[in-house]
Amino acid sequence: YKGLIMDNFEDLYSELVMEHATQSPYKHDLKSQNCSLHGHNPSCGDDITLKLEIKNGKIVDGSFEGTGCAISQSSTSIMLETLIGKTTEEAKQIIDIFVDMIDRKKLSKEQKSMLKNARVFENIKDMPARVKCALLSWKTLQKQLEDQNK
């Protein structure tokens, strides 16, 4: 998907979402974790545990475990793909941009590029029942990063 151009956005969306939902490289235990976060969406049963290794203010590794629909699982996987290697400050900024995208706010070209593959969820805003699924892991991590600064 890096540099891949497809004629039909829906094909790319479906393929990317299903790949991350069924074969996520981030769905495993993480022995080196020093941060564990739990997120639950009672309305549909999505349940995730994020495991992060944060060193010197940088997310150096991450994984997740849990169950849920293809949207929540793939969104979590793509979030980790997007944020691993970023500082916690960069991660907060990217999370805010993702939430703004889902909230139908206008994004600059630079902001969109910061989202990388997470942009495939842009049209989820047109599926209100799925919004919480896509946002679960992002909001879980957002709250943790905000709480760290208090």
Side-chain angles (χ1 to χ4, degrees), residues 95-107 121-126 131-132 135 139 142:
I95 292 167
D96 288 345
I97 292 167
F98 184 83
V99 172
D100 284 350
M101 177 183 72
I102 302 299
D103 286 344
R104 301 177 181 266
K105 293 187 177 140
K106 182 114 172 89
L107 302 181
F121 294 101
E122 186 170 10
N123 291 331
I124 208 85
K125 62 187 175 234
D126 299 326
V131 166
K132 286 183 180 178
L135 286 174
K139 291 280 198 172
Q142 183 180 50

Side-chain angles (χ1 to χ4, degrees), residues 33-95:
Q33 77 182 37
N34 56 12
C35 179
S36 180
L37 320 163
H38 181 255
H40 181 69
N41 180 355
S43 63
C44 67
D46 295 333
D47 193 84
I48 57 143
T49 301
L50 293 171
K51 297 176 179 192
L52 303 173
E53 179 183 358
I54 300 174
K55 285 186 181 172
N56 301 318
K58 188 175 194 174
I59 301 170
V60 295
D61 203 358
S63 73
F64 75 102
E65 294 178 317
T67 58
C69 68
I71 301 291
S72 73
Q73 298 293 287
S74 61
S75 184
T76 303
S77 180
I78 290 171
M79 179 192 75
L80 289 168
E81 175 184 83
T82 305
L83 300 180
I84 290 172
K86 304 286 188 225
T87 67
T88 54
E89 287 304 312
E90 291 168 328
K92 282 193 273 189
Q93 183 182 9
I94 293 167
I95 292 167

